[in-house]
Every structure is written in structure tokens, then in C-alpha cells.
């Protein structure tokens, strides 16, 4: 009995000792978790790199094309004249490469103008073309800047009604072919495809792409290589030539657009066809657009329109009863839209027209050309809610103060200028004849290729 008692006592002691050790272990683990652990820090090596900006390439259209001069070959294109070309750059390294023009008789002048990077700076270059025609089938003035190629364009001002002779120009300045797909928006949607060989410009009559659509809007999408898409227009009314135009493509649709520097030139006959006409398209969904028209220098809108837009169907409104002068048009839509405004000048039996495109927000240094052919004006509108001071290098009065949302006009002679804008502005160049021979043209200013931002490289 005594031995058993001793054995039970020994067993109890061992159990108590084990429990105490277990509790101590738990307490130790908790304390270890709560205490700061030793750590190793390995900071990766980094380098800040500013990428070298790319060269800037502009594409110039060359010969203005005439259709229908051969009765047996209605689609035959011949050169009606070679535009005056002006090229200016802030550096000496500028190269030109001619583009082939295989299907135009006597065609020349289509080319790519490339400004090379120097000292890691974004190259500033400006180029433009202007032409005046006075022939039995073509009469008027057309002017446009040379522009970079891109992968997507919207051509808004097309017309295939009776008397219209519109041609889509596709220029490929690259070294590989471009496959170009067209989507035509109108009463019925249509699609087609063409190939543009490298270093080549081709022309397609708009009627061959947009058959049956009176006033179509055309989306141009390129794969394989970027192209420049331009719409060349010519108009005849009752056997009288009624103007020519060159219109660039727009970028992506947006819910807010601002068109600056639209010129209203009322005609004594009161014919609305000589006034301002706005074309709008909501390509993807039905929308409602509010259109506000601002007279030059005005803070409040002089006219306001509400336009209901069906998806994929262009709509036009005539901005009637506008007194002579310059206007800004602001469009705010419930869905993204594309738009452009047609402006017309008439004198007696003769007239000329031009499509003005929306002016994007631009900031920084922008080099541009004011082309010969008619007196030029630079229109500016502050896109911000704060005042800004912009500089136009080359102007007689280079410093311009723009109040919040304010506007300014700067008369300019033909030549090269550089706009310096520390914050976002809208800007456009407008040319308008002061003689009895109508001549009207206009285009917005676009920012040059963006300067590459510094990037952090981790080793």
C-alpha cells in the first residue's frame, strides 16, 4: 500500500510539472509574437529615365484632285493644281519623303515631312498647303495644315448630293501596308475595306464608299500602319463651281466639344445655305445635345439649341440669323458625339465654303502656320476656370491675357508662329477674304506629340 501511494504521488508531480512547462511555452510564444522581430531590408536599385521623344512626321496632301473631266471615265482623277507648300521648323534636321500617287494623272507633291529629334527635345515643326482654283469645274480656295498620320479618324463634312465631288485621301508615310476599314454612318450603315501601300497616297470618291448617303459621316480605322485621312471637297451649283475645301479627320467622339472661330458671312439674298450649318453624329447611342453659340468676345450665349440625336444617324441644324462676325460653338451631349460646322462666303455669283472642326484642349508649345491666300486670324478661348497669359511668338503683340473662359482674336500675317500656353486653351486659325473673290478656310490647332514623361526603372 505504501509503494502504491508513493507511485501515485510521483505521477501527480510529473503531471503538474508538464502543465507548468506548457503554460510557460504558451506565455513565451505570446511574448515572442508581441516583441519586435528582426527584419532584413533590401532596397532595390532604381534609375529615373526620361525616354527620348520620337521624330515628328507630318503628311502633306499634294495635288488637288479633279473628278469627271473625262466623260468616258467618271472616276478618273487628274491634278487640278499643286498647292503652295510652306514648311518651318525650329531645328535644321528636317527630311522629306515623296509619296507615290498612282491613280491620279499628273499628281505630285504628296509627301512626308519629318523633323528629327535633337538634344532629346520634342521637335517643333509646322507645315501647310493652300491653293486657289479658278477653272470651269473647280473654283474656290482651300487651305489646311499638314498633319500626322493616325490609326482612327472621323470625316464629318462629307457630301454626295447632286453637284458634290468629294474624295477621301489616304496617305501612308510608313514602310508597311495599311489596311483601312470604313464605317459609313447615315440612313443605313455601310462598311468597306481598302489597302494603302507604304509610302503611297490613294484617293477614293466618297460616293464609292458611301453610296446612297446624302451627307454621311465616315469612320476610318487603320491597322498595320497609321495613315492620314483627309476629305477633299468640291461643290457645283446649277453648273457654277461653288467652292472647294480640305478637311482633316477628327479624333474620338466626346461628350463636350468646342468649335472656335466659325465665321458667319450673311448674304443679301437671305439664303441659309450661305450661313453656318452644324452637323452632329452620336455614333453609338441616342443622345440629346445642347448647342450654345457665343459671339466673339461674349460671355453669355447668343443662341441655344437642343438637338435630339438618333444613334448612328447624322443630324444637321442651320444656325440662322447670325449677324456677320466670328462665333464659338459649344456642344454638350449626353453621349459622345462628333461634329463640325460649315461656313460659307458668297460674293455675287461666286462662293466658297469650309468646314471648321472642334478645337481640342492644348497646352504647352504649339508651332503653326498661317497660310497665304486670305487675311488670317488666330482665335483663342480659355478652357480653364482661371485666367491665363499666353504668348504668340512672332505676333505684333505677343502677350495675350485670357480671363477665365475668356476669348481673344489675334490678326496674323502669313508665316510661322509658336503658341505658348501654360494651361489649357482652345485655338483655331481662320482665313477670310476681304475682296470680291470669296475665300474662306479654317482649322483648329492640335498639340504636337506629347513629351515623354520620366519613368522609374527598378534593377
Amino acid at each position: 500500500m505504501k509503494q502504491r501511494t508513493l507511485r501515485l504521488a510521483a505521477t501527480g508531480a510529473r503531471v503538474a510539472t508538464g502543465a507548468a512547462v506548457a503554460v510557460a511555452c504558451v506565455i513565451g510564444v505570446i511574448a515572442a509574437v508581441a516583441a519586435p522581430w528582426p527584419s532584413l531590408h533590401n532596397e532595390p536599385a532604381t534609375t529615373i529615365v526620361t525616354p527620348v521623344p520620337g521624330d515628328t512626321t507630318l503628311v502633306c496632301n499634294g495635288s488637288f484632285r479633279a473628278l469627271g473631266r473625262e466623260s468616258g471615265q467618271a472616276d478618273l482623277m487628274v491634278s487640278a493644281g499643286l498647292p503652295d507648300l510652306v514648311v518651318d521648323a525650329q531645328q535644321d534636321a528636317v527630311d522629306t519623303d515623296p509619296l507615290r500617287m498612282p491613280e491620279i494623272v499628273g499628281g505630285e507633291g504628296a509627301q512626308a515631312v519629318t523633323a528629327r529629334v535633337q538634344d532629346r527635345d520634342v521637335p517643333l515643326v509646322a507645315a501647310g498647303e493652300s491653293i486657289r482654283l479658278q477653272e470651269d469645274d473647280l473654283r474656290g480656295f482651300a487651305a489646311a495644315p499638314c498633319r500626322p498620320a493616325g490609326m482612327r479618324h472621323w470625316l464629318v463634312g462629307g457630301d454626295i448630293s447632286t453637284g458634290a465631288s468629294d474624295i477621301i485621301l489616304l496617305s501612308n508615310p510608313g514602310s508597311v501596308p495599311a489596311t483601312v476599314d470604313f464605317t459609313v454612318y447615315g440612313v443605313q450603315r455601310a462598311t468597306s475595306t481598302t489597302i494603302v501601300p507604304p509610302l503611297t497616297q490613294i484617293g477614293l470618291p466618297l460616293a464609292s464608299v458611301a453610296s446612297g448617303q446624302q451627307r454621311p459621316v465616315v469612320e476610318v480605322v487603320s491597322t498595320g500602319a497609321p495613315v492620314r485621312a483627309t476629305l477633299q471637297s468640291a461643290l457645283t451649283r446649277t453648273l457654277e463651281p461653288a467652292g472647294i475645301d480640305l478637311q482633316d479627320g477628327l479624333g474620338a467622339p466626346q461628350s463636350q466639344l468646342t468649335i472656335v472661330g466659325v465665321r458667319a458671312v450673311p448674304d443679301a439674298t437671305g439664303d441659309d445655305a450661305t450661313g453656318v450649318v452644324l452637323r452632329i453624329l452620336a455614333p453609338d447611342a441616342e443622345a440629346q445635345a445642347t448647342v450654345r453659340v457665343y459671339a466673339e468676345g461674349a460671355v453669355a450665349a447668343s443662341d441655344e439649341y437642343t438637338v435630339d440625336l438618333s444613334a448612328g444617324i447624322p443630324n444637321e441644324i442651320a444656325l440662322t440669323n447670325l449677324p456677320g462676325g466670328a462665333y464659338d460653338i459649344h456642344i454638350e451631349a449626353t453621349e459622345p458625339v462628333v461634329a463640325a460646322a460649315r461656313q460659307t462666303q458668297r460674293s455675287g455669283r461666286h462662293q466658297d465654303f469650309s468646314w471648321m472642326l472642334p478645337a481640342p484642349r492644348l497646352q504647352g508649345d504649339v508651332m503653326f502656320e498661317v497660310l497665304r491666300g486670305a487675311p488670317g486670324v488666330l482665335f483663342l478661348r480659355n478652357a480653364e476656370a482661371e485666367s491665363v497669359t499666353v504668348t504668340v511668338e512672332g505676333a505684333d503683340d505677343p502677350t495675350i491675357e485670357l480671363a477665365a473662359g475668356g476669348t481673344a482674336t489675334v490678326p496674323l500675317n502669313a508665316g510661322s508662329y509658336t503658341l505658348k500656353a501654360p494651361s489649357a486653351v482652345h485655338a483655331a486659325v481662320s482665313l477670310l477674304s476681304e475682296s470680291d473673290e470669296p475665300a474662306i478656310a479654317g482649322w483648329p490647332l492640335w498639340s504636337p506629340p506629347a513629351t515623354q514623361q520620366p519613368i522609374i526603372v527598378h534593377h
Side-chain angles (χ1 to χ4, degrees), residues 298-359:
V299 176
S302 57
D303 284 297
E304 182 173 315
Y305 303 82
T306 300
V307 185
D308 292 322
L309 302 172
S310 299
I313 301 178
N315 200 338
E316 284 192 354
I317 58 173
L319 308 183
T320 58
N321 302 320
L322 292 178
Y327 295 85
D328 294 350
I329 302 172
H330 183 72
I331 302 167
E332 186 172 353
T334 56
E335 295 289 339
V337 298
V338 294
R342 190 186 71 198
Q343 46 192 356
T344 306
Q345 183 183 27
R346 174 181 287 183
S347 178
R349 294 169 50 194
H350 300 142
Q351 71 179 59
D352 192 31
F353 71 97
S354 171
W355 284 88
M356 183 65 90
L357 306 180

Side-chain angles (χ1 to χ4, degrees), residues 358-390:
R361 294 165 60 97
L362 55 87
Q363 186 174 351
D365 294 355
V366 181
M367 192 174 184
F368 64 97
E369 288 285 343
V370 176
L371 300 170
R372 297 180 180 88
V377 176
L378 174 67
F379 290 91
L380 296 168
R381 174 174 282 273
N382 187 356
E384 302 289 0
E386 298 179 354
S387 61
V388 62
T389 300
V390 301

Side-chain angles (χ1 to χ4, degrees), residues 164-184:
S165 179
D166 287 10
I167 301 171
I168 298 176
L169 303 180
L170 299 173
S171 302
N172 179 3
S175 58
V176 297
T179 300
V180 179
D181 296 314
F182 302 101
T183 301
V184 180

Side-chain angles (χ1 to χ4, degrees), residues 221-305:
V221 179
S222 177
T223 55
V227 300
R228 183 192 180 187
T230 307
L231 185 64
Q232 177 198 290
S233 299
L235 188 62
T236 300
R237 291 287 185 243
T238 60
L239 303 181
E240 288 283 345
I244 60 175
D245 186 37
L246 289 169
Q247 179 196 147
D248 264 302
L250 293 175
Q254 299 180 37
S255 57
Q256 294 192 42
L257 298 171
T258 300
I259 308 174
V260 300
V262 177
R263 312 295 279 269
V265 189
D267 182 67
T269 64
D271 184 357
D272 285 344
T274 65
V276 177
V277 175
L278 182 67
R279 183 178 298 180
I280 313 178
L281 166 71
D284 299 321
E286 65 178 25
Q288 186 176 82
T290 301
V291 178
R292 296 181 178 90
V293 182
Y294 297 84
E296 179 184 343
V299 176
S302 57
D303 284 297
E304 182 173 315
Y305 303 82

